[in-house]
């Protein structure tokens, strides 16, 4: 329930006018059927009272005018409502996504967030989104006003009842009260049942979603065209498609859906039955009243219709409310995501602006990832100085990339600390600290926007500077050949006219970006893995040239990068086991020598 | 549109018959319920005014209400269980789509057009409100509207032929209007689809796990947020333009409503005053005429909706009818062919640049070739041509002197590409796919050979967390080894004799790389192999080196020969090896 209230608050905050519009539109919708109802009654009764043509025409004209007015009014208001609806949809989505963009790295990789994101995606495919709430609210509002109008109508009818009726059980308010009580009773029963059902349905829904979600995620995988190579070469077509169909029709997904269908059908069927029972009662009552002369012929239909509308509205409102309670659970992942805090944003502080020369010290750092037991880094201590190039080497899994993540403050060490010019980096405002670092990660990503913007990470960029960086990584010739400018988009997902770039070209762009951003600390994690020898040498040259003003940290499996590094750090299973320059390390009989020889042997 | 409806119905008969039953019920109920609702007041009024006996009154009312209630209960049940059947149905179509996608020419599905089409059809299939599923949800309403209209026309015709004529006339005009507006709407919609795509791309980019580090480090938040904000603004403006059409339709609706109702009142009053009609008939015909307009309006929205869905079904059918390659033949067992490329050139599309120019090469059995060259020289393209994923734009690829169909060519190859794809299945299934469980022993051998026995003591451990919560998440190096095991399996146990490796050691540390080269020698003992790598050390293990530059083979020979030539290769090798030799850099 609190989710629904929360959702309404959000709706009101983002597009308050929408709420007002919804009310007005639904008041009109609720009132519409009553126009014909009331005017039919007037017409019938006037006719029976031998009215003339003109009177009847008068009523007819009123009815037409009012109806037309409502239809036109609704059309205009609906148009407005649609725009606001779209606005709400988009602004809410924006709010949600931007919020997630600002999560800490720890949060965004956590299971909790991944699951919530997945639930939302799956629900979307079944047609459920956050804004699906709005039509339900509309039904509620319309139902409520129908209720009110109906009530007003039959109370009026009642008070206009003929006084010279034959008194009997059927005249007077008693039977009506009975019916209303019956209606209330049925509604309560229905509501109770729905509440119980909701819980079952939500549980089934979640299980079904989990099973479906897997099927759909699997589906994303096999429809990735890159995978198409293996699919053809290994002849995997039947294997994968059969697995897909099996995944669906296997125990969980399929049977759950069947069960779900039957459970979901219960409440609507019950509602239909209740309405039927009430209809019998209402019709019976109205007929008896008419036969006993209490209400006129024209009134009969009004009476019947208004009570019917009333009872149906009651049941309808109750059902919608019950449904919405169920919704509350479906909305849960949205609120899970909204409640997770963003990375702290502090104001920049003058006193924390480190001065040159920079020294980054890692002091006795221990680190393990959240929810894991093994230490990834143990008692690591090292120093990075401005003007020095450091190579970090070690076999896969020795903790190199993790150290980088700590240096970028994506995580914080459990023990020990990292200091910049003596200040614990946790005390420096995050955005100020990160500005000092430019990195090319092993799994870097480039948004599919224009080249200039991507390199500058901004809509405005210094074109000359961008051009220079592109030249430094050797992309200028490539750009000329392919007729690519700084306004050309990378990849084709955003702009269909973008240029498709290979892994190596992407790596060059990422390096150009790091060079453009020009932080005093440059970190490169496998920057040349996809580059040919000449470009690799150029990149090393580039960094060698800028090293005097910065600290440069290389992680690379290509030990060639070690030759010009002042300092080499050798990691093994999370510990720093050797450090020194190449000459010193090659004379020790350690891991470095082993690694070096393993690679160098092929180049002699 | 009719065609597509028939197509969908035929397929539904094959895939999920229950849906047809449900559609039938929905239609019947859709016709009965309003009809019965119209008769009820007639019976009541007749009973009260004494036109029919009391007994008939009670029987009539009770009977009709019972009928009405039953219809409503049936409809409620059917509507609720429709979802399940629609989902089952959807899965079959999806499986069809995937099968088709996997049969198509690789170059096509890789191309922008191929991708766009596929993504579009996929989107319309998965979304419940679009495509085939969307169509099926409204078909019942469409048919019941049509039938009801026919019925009502019949009934009202009994009253006055003119009324009917004018009703039909005005309705047709309305439908034409609606159609016209919708066409313009559809046209305008296409412009906005582009904005939507951009917004969706940015939305998923900022949320994705992969982009996080870069976004944070380079403080891209404000920039991206600004872009999103501007796009949303545009999108809303576009929505404002679109909704104008709804206003026009609303105005048309209103005008017609006035005409219709005025006409209805006039005729009925005439009937009343000339005593042709009684009160109950007044109610009846009035409901019929106003109900008529409700059905027309339902019909027009159903038609609009279904015609949009019909376009989506068109896209599906067109995709399913794209030409495919023929089926695969059985794997050739252990025969090592000779591959020859004669004057092979390749470009992706007619206006595109030529990626490969006049390639001539012979790949002898058991020969191990190293393919080197700069980024963009065309190595990956050449490799895809060799293994039959691309077709040459000109020139021939000969296998033992004959031209083969691509699928036949593919059966000779065991390939490991640069991009790694791990299936969310067990490690064993990732290696031997559908050969499990019989291939377990073989799989264990492969696992051992690539050094993964510690990671996978049980080869039936699931990999990745996609389908199994306890799935193992592998590091980059471990993934690369798993792929190698996959290739190994195919070489050793499935009779592939041509090995193709594209940067297989990119993510491996020096020790693992060394182990790999040793492995490689073993793997390729009795096979042919092509090795692409930027690490020129790998050329040591190859009989011949091919140097590619800007789409041409510029140098060819053994490692020693090329060093002696002092050409491009020698320059590359020197640049890379300088760091590994003694002395200063």
């Amino acid at each position: 329930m609190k989710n629904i209230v929360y959702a309404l608050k959000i709706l009101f905050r983002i597009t308050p006018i929408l709420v007002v519009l919804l009310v007005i539109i639904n008041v009109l919708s609720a009132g519409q059927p009553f126009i014909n109802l009331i005017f039919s009654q007037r017409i019938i009764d006037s006719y029976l009272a031998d009215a003339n043509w003109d009177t009847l025409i008068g009523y007819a004209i009123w009815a037409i005018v009012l109806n037309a007015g409502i239809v036109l009014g609704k059309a205009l208001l609906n148009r407005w409502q649609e725009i606001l609806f779209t606005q709400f949809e988009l602004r809410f989505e924006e709010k949600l996504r931007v919020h997630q963009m600002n999560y800490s790295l720890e949060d965004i990789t956590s299971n909790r967030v991944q699951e919530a994101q997945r639930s939302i995606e799956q629900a979307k495919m079944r047609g459920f989104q956050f804004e699906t709430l709005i039509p339900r609210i509309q039904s509620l509002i319309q139902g409520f006003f129908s209720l009110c109008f109906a009530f007003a109508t039959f109370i009026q009818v009642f008070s206009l009842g003929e006084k010279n009726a034959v008194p009997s059980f059927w005249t007077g308010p008693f039977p009506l009260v009975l019916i209303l009580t019956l209606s209330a009773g049925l509604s309560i029963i229905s509501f109770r049942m729905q509440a119980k059902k909701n819980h079952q349905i939500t549980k089934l829904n979640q299980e079904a979603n989990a099973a479906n979600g897997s099927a759909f995620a699997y589906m994303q995988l096999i429809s990735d065209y890159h995978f198409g190579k293996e699919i053809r070469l290994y002849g995997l077509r039947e294997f994968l498609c059969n697995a897909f169909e099996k995944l669906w029709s296997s125990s969980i997904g399929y049977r759950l859906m069947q069960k779900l269908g039957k459970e979901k059908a219960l409440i609507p069927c019950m509602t239909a039955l209740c309405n039927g029972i009430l209809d019998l009662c209402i019709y019976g009552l109205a007929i008896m009243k008419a036969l006993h002369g209490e209400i006129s012929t024209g009134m009969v239909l009004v009476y019947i219709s208004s009570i019917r509308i009333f009872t149906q509205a009651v049941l309808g409102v109750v059902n919608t409310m019950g449904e919405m309670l169920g919704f509350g659970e479906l909305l849960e992942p949205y609120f899970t995501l909204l409640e997770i805090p963003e990375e702290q944003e502090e104001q920049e502080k003058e006193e924390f602006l480190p001065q040159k020369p920079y020294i980054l010290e890692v002091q006795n750092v221990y680190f393990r990832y959240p929810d894991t037991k093994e230490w990834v880094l143990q008692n690591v201590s090292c120093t990075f100085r401005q003007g020095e190039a450091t190579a970090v080497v070690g076999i896969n899994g020795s903790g190199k990339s993790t150290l980088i993540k700590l240096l970028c403050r994506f995580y914080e060490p459990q023990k020990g600390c990292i200091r910049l010019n003596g200040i614990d980096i946790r005390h420096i405002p995050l955005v100020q600290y990160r500005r000092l670092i430019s990195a090319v990660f092993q799994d870097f990503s480039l948004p599919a926007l224009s080249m200039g913007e991507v390199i500058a990470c901004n809509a405005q960029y210094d074109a000359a500077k961008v051009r220079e960086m592109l030249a430094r990584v050797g992309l200028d010739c490539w750009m000329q050949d392919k007729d690519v400018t700084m306004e050309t988009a990378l990849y084709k997902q955003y702009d269909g006219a973008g240029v498709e770039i290979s892994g190596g070209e992407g790596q060059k762009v990422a390096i150009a970006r790091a060079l453009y951003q020009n932080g005093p600390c440059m970190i490169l994690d496998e920057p040349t893995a996809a580059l040919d020898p000449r470009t690799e040498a150029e990149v090393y040259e580039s960094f060698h040239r800028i090293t005097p003003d910065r600290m440069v940290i290389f992680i690379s499996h290509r030990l060639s990068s070690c030759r010009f590094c002042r300092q080499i750090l050798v990691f093994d299973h999370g510990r720093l086991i050797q450090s020194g320059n190449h000459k010193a390390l090659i004379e020790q009989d350690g891991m470095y020598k082993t690694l070096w020889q393993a690679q160098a042997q092929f180049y002699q | 549109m009719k065609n597509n409806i028939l197509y969908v119905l035929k397929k539904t008969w094959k895939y999920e018959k229950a849906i047809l039953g449900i559609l039938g019920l929905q239609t019947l109920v859709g016709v009965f319920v309003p009809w019965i609702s119209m008769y009820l007041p007639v019976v009541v009024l007749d009973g009260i005014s004494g036109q029919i006996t009391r007994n008939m009154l009670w029987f009539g009312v009770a009977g009709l209400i019972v009928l009405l209630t039953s219809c409503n209960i049936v409809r409620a049940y059917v509507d609720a269980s429709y979802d399940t059947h629609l989902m089952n149905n959807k899965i079959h179509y999806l499986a069809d789509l995937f099968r088709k996608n996997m049969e198509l020419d690789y170059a096509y599905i890789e191309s922008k057009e191929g991708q766009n089409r596929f993504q579009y059809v996929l989107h319309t299939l998965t979304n419940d409100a679009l495509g085939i599923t969307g169509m099926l949800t409204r078909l019942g309403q469409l048919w019941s509207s049509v039938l009801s209209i026919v019925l009502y026309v019949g009934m009202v015709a009994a009253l006055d032929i003119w009324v009917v004529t004018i009703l039909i006339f005005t309705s047709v005009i309305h439908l034409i209007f609606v159609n016209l507006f919708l066409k313009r709407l559809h046209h305008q919609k296409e412009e906005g689809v582009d904005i939507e795509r951009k917004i969706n791309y940015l939305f998923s980019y900022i949320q994705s796990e992969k982009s996080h580090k870069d976004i944070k480090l380079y403080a891209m938040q404000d920039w991206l947020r600004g872009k999103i904000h501007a796009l949303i603004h545009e999108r809303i403006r576009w929505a404002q333009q679109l909704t104008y059409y709804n206003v026009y339709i609303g105005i048309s609706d209103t005008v017609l409503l006035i005409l219709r109702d005025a006409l209805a009142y006039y005729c009925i009053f005439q009937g009343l005053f000339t005593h042709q009609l009684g009160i109950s008939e007044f109610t009846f015909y009035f409901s019929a005429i106003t109900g008529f307009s409700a059905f027309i309006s339902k019909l027009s929205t159903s038609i609009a909706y279904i015609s949009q869905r019909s376009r989506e079904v068109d896209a599906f059918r067109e995709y399913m009818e794209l030409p495919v390659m023929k089926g695969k033949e059985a794997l050739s067992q252990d025969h090592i062919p000779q591959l020859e490329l004669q004057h092979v050139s390749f470009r992706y599309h007619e206006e595109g640049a030529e990626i490969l120019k006049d390639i001539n090469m012979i790949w002898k059995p058991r020969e191990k070739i190293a393919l080197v060259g700069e980024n963009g020289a065309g190595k990956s393209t050449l490799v895809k041509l060799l293994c039959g994923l691309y077709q040459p734009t000109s020139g021939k690829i000969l296998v033992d002197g004959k031209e083969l169909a691509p699928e036949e060519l593919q059966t000779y190859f065991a390939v490991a590409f640069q991009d790694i794809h791990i299936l969310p299945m067990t490690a064993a299934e990732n290696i031997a796919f559908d050969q499990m469980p019989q291939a377990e022993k073989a799989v264990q051998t492969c696992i051992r050979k690539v050094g993964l026995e510690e990671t996978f003591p049980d080869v039936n451990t699931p990999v990745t967390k996609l389908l199994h919560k306890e799935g193992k998440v592998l590091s980059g190096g471990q993934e690369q080894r798993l792929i190698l095991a996959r290739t190994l399996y195919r070489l050793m146990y499935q009779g592939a004799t041509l090995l193709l490796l594209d940067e297989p050691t990119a993510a491996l540390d020096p020790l693992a790389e060394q182990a790999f080269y040793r492995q490689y020698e073993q793997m390729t003992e009795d096979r042919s192999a092509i090795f692409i790598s930027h690490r020129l050390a790998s050329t040591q293990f190859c009989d011949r080196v091919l140097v590619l530059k800007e789409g041409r083979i510029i140098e060819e020979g053994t490692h020693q020969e090329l060093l002696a030539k002092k050409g491009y290769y020698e320059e590359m090798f020197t640049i890379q090896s300088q760091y590994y030799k003694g002395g200063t850099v």
Side-chain angles (χ1 to χ4, degrees), chain B residues 307-568:
Chain B
S307 74
Q308 279 182 308
R309 304 288 84 79
S310 177
R311 268 191 210 100
E312 288 150 11
V313 175
D314 274 334
F316 175 76
R317 289 176 77 180
E318 279 168 16
Y319 195 85
M320 296 303 287
E321 275 157 32
L322 286 171
V324 268
M325 318 192 290
K326 285 168 287 162
K328 243 191 212 308
E329 308 228 326
L331 216 48
S332 56
Q333 293 301 316
D334 290 319
H335 165 71
I336 311 178
Q338 165 162 306
L339 237 64
E340 181 177 347
L341 267 65
Q342 287 181 351
H343 299 289
V344 163
S345 298
F346 180 82
R347 47 160 55 109
Y348 282 105
H349 28 252
E350 287 171 14
E351 328 82 48
E354 234 183 355
I355 310 286
L356 292 173
K357 305 170 184 145
D358 198 33
I359 302 281
N360 292 290
M361 67 178 260
I362 300 183
W363 184 13
K364 300 203 190 71
R366 292 193 191 76
E367 201 178 10
K368 309 197 207 318
I369 298 184
L371 191 57
V372 304
E374 287 177 343
N375 287 109
K379 306 190 295 293
S380 292
T381 315
L382 179 58
V383 148
K384 286 184 201 156
L385 265 173
L386 278 174
C387 66
L389 285 175
Y390 289 165
Q391 282 22 271
T393 320
S394 64
K396 292 194 256 191
I397 300 182
L398 301 174
V399 180
D400 286 335
K402 293 183 296 202
E403 271 184 281
L404 285 186
E407 330 72 89
E408 291 172 310
L409 180 57
Q410 285 164 11
T411 62
Y412 284 105
F413 280 91
V415 189
F417 287 103
Q418 241 178 333
D419 46 326
I420 292 180
H421 298 279
I422 307 280
L423 290 175
M425 301 175 175
T426 65
E429 281 171 319
N430 263 292
I431 293 175
F433 303 112
D434 50 351
Q435 301 298 313
M436 287 302 289
Q438 317 90 285
E440 184 154 346
K441 270 221 139 81
V443 166
Q444 279 167 344
T445 317
C446 296
I447 292 262
R448 232 179 317 115
K449 284 194 179 240
V450 297
L452 278 177
E453 64 271 21
E454 274 180 27
T455 324
F456 290 113
D458 174 17
V459 299
N460 289 312
T461 324
V463 182
T464 82
K465 288 200 189 295
L466 196 63
L467 294 181
H468 305 268
K469 281 215 187 94
E470 343 75 55
K472 225 174 152 61
V473 176
L474 301 177
S475 72
Q478 285 170 329
E479 281 186 345
Q480 208 153 43
R481 287 187 218 192
L482 190 60
I483 299 299
L484 211 57
R486 192 189 275 175
T487 322
L488 206 60
Y489 178 83
R490 194 163 160 87
L491 270 185
M492 293 186 353
Y493 299 101
Q494 284 189 311
T497 52
L498 303 176
L499 178 61
L500 232 150
L501 298 169
D502 192 350
E503 294 282 3
T505 63
L508 298 184
D509 60 68
L511 292 182
E513 191 183 3
Q514 183 185 42
F516 170 81
Y517 288 140
R518 294 221 176 87
Q519 185 64 248
Y520 178 69
E521 288 191 296
Q522 262 194 0
M523 260 167 79
T524 55
E525 229 180 280
D526 200 22
R527 307 267 193 289
S528 312
I530 287 193
F531 198 110
I532 299 181
S533 183
H534 283 309
R535 302 200 194 180
L536 299 179
S538 57
T539 58
Q540 301 246 336
F541 299 94
C542 301
D543 303 320
R544 199 153 50 108
V545 178
L546 284 172
V547 182
L548 212 59
K549 182 171 177 177
E550 284 165 12
R552 288 182 203 280
I553 299 182
I554 55 169
E555 285 174 21
E556 209 180 316
T558 68
H559 170 73
Q560 296 303 329
E561 283 170 14
L562 292 182
L563 279 185
K565 255 195 209 154
K566 293 213 180 292
Y568 186 77

Side-chain angles (χ1 to χ4, degrees), chain A residues 387-571:
Chain A
E388 258 184 27
T390 307
V392 178
V393 304
I395 61 174
N396 278 112
S398 49
K400 312 187 292 293
S401 293
T402 311
L403 180 64
I404 300 305
K405 288 185 193 157
L406 289 180
L407 290 179
C408 292
R409 270 189 79 185
F410 289 135
Y411 293 93
E412 284 180 12
Q414 273 84 6
K415 294 193 235 179
C417 74
I418 304 178
R419 291 183 192 278
L420 175 63
N421 288 7
I423 309 172
D424 188 333
I425 61 176
R426 279 173 284 204
H427 297 156
I428 305 179
L430 203 52
V431 77
Q432 259 184 298
Y433 176 75
R434 290 214 180 118
R435 220 180 283 148
L436 299 170
I437 303 187
S438 294
V440 178
F441 299 110
Q442 194 179 13
D443 50 350
F444 66 87
S445 95
L446 302 167
L449 299 168
S450 72
M451 175 85 85
E453 285 184 64
V454 168
I455 291 183
C457 294
N458 214 328
Q460 272 88 18
Y461 52 89
D462 179 347
K465 195 171 167 197
V466 170
R467 216 169 294 132
E468 189 197 330
M469 300 309 145
L470 288 170
R472 283 222 210 144
V473 295
L475 273 179
D476 43 355
C477 301
W478 172 79
M479 280 173 70
Q480 261 187 347
D481 285 342
K482 293 240 170 142
D483 210 12
V484 167
T485 68
M486 278 186 269
E487 282 95 38
T488 316
L490 302 176
Y491 308 113
K492 293 186 193 281
Q493 290 118 302
Y494 184 83
D495 183 353
V499 62
E500 196 59 58
I501 57 176
S502 71
E505 283 142 14
Q507 206 156 40
K508 291 184 197 178
V509 175
I511 295 174
R513 175 172 66 182
L515 288 172
Y516 182 98
Q517 299 301 322
N518 221 2
C521 173
M522 292 263 189
I523 302 180
L524 302 147
D525 191 349
E526 297 287 356
T528 60
L531 300 184
D532 60 75
R534 196 205 308 265
T535 317
E536 185 181 17
E538 283 170 4
V539 167
Y540 288 152
E541 240 316 274
S542 257
F543 283 102
H544 187 61
R545 256 183 288 137
I546 65 173
T547 304
D549 271 336
R550 290 173 189 66
M551 65 177 85
V552 180
I553 306 177
F554 277 106
I555 300 182
S556 185
H557 284 314
R558 300 210 198 172
L559 300 180
S560 44
S561 59
C562 297
R563 284 307 294 275
F564 52 87
C565 289
R566 179 87 71 82
Q567 183 185 207
I568 302 172
L569 303 173
V570 183
F571 279 80

Side-chain angles (χ1 to χ4, degrees), chain A residues 47 53 56 63-64 68 72 79 82-83 87 90-91 93-94 97-98 100-103 108-109 114 117 125-126 212 214 218-219 221 223 225-227 229 232-234 236-239 241-242 248 254 257 264-265 272 276 283 288 290-291 297 300-301 343 395-396 410 434 439 441 443 445 447-448 453 457-459 493-494 496 513-514 517 530-532 534 536-537 540 557 559-560 563 595-596 599 601-604, chain B residues 40-41 45 48 54 58 69 77 80 83-84 87-88 91 98-99 101-104 106 109-110 112 115 118 126 128 197-198 201 203 205 207 209 211-214 216-218 220-221 223 227 229 231-232 235-236 240 243 246-247 254 262 265 272-273 283 328 374-375 410 415 417 419 421 423-425 433-434 467 490 507-509 511 513-514 517 534 537 540-541 568 571-572 575-577 579-581 583 585:
Chain A
Y47 175 72
W53 182 264
L56 293 190
I64 293 177
L72 192 60
R79 180 220 167 207
E82 256 191 63
I83 297 175
Q87 198 174 342
L90 288 170
R91 296 261 177 245
E93 188 85 21
E94 181 189 10
R97 305 268 187 167
V98 168
Q100 288 175 69
M101 174 171 76
N102 291 329
Y103 283 163
I108 216 200
T109 49
Q114 300 286 320
Q117 284 179 348
M125 275 199 283
R126 309 284 305 289
N212 295 348
S214 311
Y218 177 74
M219 175 182 93
L221 185 79
S223 57
Y225 74 87
H226 290 112
F227 193 32
K229 302 196 288 287
R232 282 157 182 74
L233 290 168
Y234 287 92
L236 300 180
R237 190 175 71 224
E238 285 311 317
F239 175 64
C241 289
N242 286 341
W248 169 246
Y254 183 71
M257 287 296 292
K264 283 206 295 192
Y283 271 88
M288 288 314 281
L291 289 178
T297 317
V300 169
L301 291 178
E343 232 179 12
I395 61 174
N396 278 112
F410 289 135
R434 290 214 180 118
F441 299 110
D443 50 350
S445 95
E453 285 184 64
C457 294
N458 214 328
Q493 290 118 302
Y494 184 83
R513 175 172 66 182
Q517 299 301 322
L531 300 184
D532 60 75
R534 196 205 308 265
E536 185 181 17
Y540 288 152
H557 284 314
L559 300 180
S560 44
R563 284 307 294 275
L595 293 176
W596 178 266
Q599 211 169 62
Q601 64 181 314
F602 304 119
Y603 288 96
Q604 305 311 322
Chain B
L40 260 178
L45 288 179
I48 294 177
R54 288 292 154 84
W58 292 120
T69 314
Y77 184 77
D83 264 354
T84 322
M87 178 70 106
N88 292 343
I91 298 290
F98 293 144
R99 278 212 173 78
N101 191 43
M102 294 177 190
E103 285 175 338
L104 289 174
Y106 181 73
I109 66 164
E110 195 186 39
K112 176 176 115 168
Q115 277 187 67
F118 177 72
T126 48
D128 277 350
R197 191 170 47 93
K198 291 189 171 154
Y201 169 73
F203 273 160
Y205 182 77
Q207 190 188 302
E209 209 183 319
S211 10
H212 251 239
K213 299 202 288 290
D214 292 290
K216 286 184 162 44
L217 195 67
Y218 290 110
M220 294 196 219
Q221 295 93 333
W223 167 46
K227 273 207 135 47
H229 207 78
L231 279 172
I232 290 184
R235 168 80 174 78
I236 294 178
Q240 284 174 331
T243 51
N246 288 341
V247 175
T254 314
Y265 279 119
L272 271 183
F273 277 97
T283 341
K328 243 191 212 308
E374 287 177 343
N375 287 109
Q410 285 164 11
V415 189
F417 287 103
D419 46 326
H421 298 279
L423 290 175
M425 301 175 175
F433 303 112
D434 50 351
L467 294 181
R490 194 163 160 87
L508 298 184
D509 60 68
L511 292 182
E513 191 183 3
Q514 183 185 42
Y517 288 140
H534 283 309
Q540 301 246 336
F541 299 94
Y568 186 77
E571 189 189 337
M572 288 289 133
I575 292 179
Q576 199 169 70
S577 60
Y579 305 106
Y580 293 101
K581 300 207 157 86
V585 170

Side-chain angles (χ1 to χ4, degrees), chain A residues 178-462:
Chain A
L178 260 184
I179 289 186
L180 292 180
T181 323
L182 181 62
S183 160
L186 286 173
S187 303
I188 294 178
I189 295 179
S190 161
F191 188 72
R192 277 257 180 81
M193 288 197 69
Q194 177 141 62
K196 240 195 301 176
K197 274 298 158 197
N198 264 338
H199 193 69
Q200 265 176 303
I201 289 179
T202 314
K203 222 176 58 143
L204 275 179
N205 243 334
Q206 279 175 340
E207 288 177 46
N209 271 343
N212 295 348
S214 311
F216 284 117
Y218 177 74
M219 175 182 93
Q220 303 272 14
L221 185 79
I222 63 178
S223 57
D224 179 6
Y225 74 87
H226 290 112
F227 193 32
K229 302 196 288 287
E230 275 86 347
I231 295 178
R232 282 157 182 74
L233 290 168
Y234 287 92
L236 300 180
R237 190 175 71 224
E238 285 311 317
F239 175 64
L240 292 174
C241 289
N242 286 341
F244 176 66
E245 277 176 320
K246 216 178 7 156
L247 197 59
W248 169 246
S249 64
S250 72
S251 48
I252 309 187
Y254 183 71
R255 271 193 241 138
L256 277 181
M257 287 296 292
Q258 290 214 305
K259 231 177 133 195
L260 195 56
K262 294 207 171 77
E263 296 287 337
K264 283 206 295 192
L266 186 67
I267 299 294
C269 289
M270 257 210 46
T271 312
L273 185 63
C274 292
N275 276 329
I277 296 174
L278 286 171
D279 277 350
L280 276 173
C281 302
I282 295 172
Y283 271 88
L285 176 64
I287 292 174
M288 288 314 281
K289 281 197 187 272
L291 289 178
H292 285 267
E294 186 176 349
I295 52 181
S296 67
T297 317
M299 283 300 187
V300 169
L301 291 178
V302 177
Y303 200 68
I304 293 176
S305 294
S306 57
I307 300 184
R308 280 187 82 223
I309 292 180
F310 182 84
T311 51
Q312 282 181 354
V314 167
L315 267 175
V317 165
V318 161
N319 276 339
T320 311
M321 277 190 358
E323 233 190 332
M324 280 177 66
L325 285 184
F327 265 28
E329 301 210 32
L330 283 171
L331 290 175
E332 194 60 47
Y334 289 97
F335 296 119
T336 311
L337 291 178
L338 285 173
E339 276 160 24
I340 296 179
E342 303 186 1
E343 232 179 12
Q344 2 139 255
E345 274 247 11
E346 302 147 32
Q347 284 305 328
E348 308 196 13
K349 300 195 184 108
E350 207 36 71
E351 66 266 26
F352 282 129
L353 204 59
Q355 302 299 326
K356 293 189 182 185
Y358 298 111
I359 296 187
L360 198 58
E361 296 165 289
V362 176
Q363 297 174 337
N364 302 100
V365 158
Y366 284 78
F367 177 76
R368 63 176 163 214
Y369 285 102
D371 299 324
T372 60
K373 288 200 218 122
E374 293 161 24
W375 291 109
V376 177
L377 292 174
Q378 295 182 58
N379 207 4
V380 175
S381 300
C382 52
T383 310
F384 303 99
R385 289 192 176 76
Q386 183 180 343
E388 258 184 27
T390 307
V392 178
V393 304
I395 61 174
N396 278 112
S398 49
K400 312 187 292 293
S401 293
T402 311
L403 180 64
I404 300 305
K405 288 185 193 157
L406 289 180
L407 290 179
C408 292
R409 270 189 79 185
F410 289 135
Y411 293 93
E412 284 180 12
Q414 273 84 6
K415 294 193 235 179
C417 74
I418 304 178
R419 291 183 192 278
L420 175 63
N421 288 7
I423 309 172
D424 188 333
I425 61 176
R426 279 173 284 204
H427 297 156
I428 305 179
L430 203 52
V431 77
Q432 259 184 298
Y433 176 75
R434 290 214 180 118
R435 220 180 283 148
L436 299 170
I437 303 187
S438 294
V440 178
F441 299 110
Q442 194 179 13
D443 50 350
F444 66 87
S445 95
L446 302 167
L449 299 168
S450 72
M451 175 85 85
E453 285 184 64
V454 168
I455 291 183
C457 294
N458 214 328
Q460 272 88 18
Y461 52 89
D462 179 347

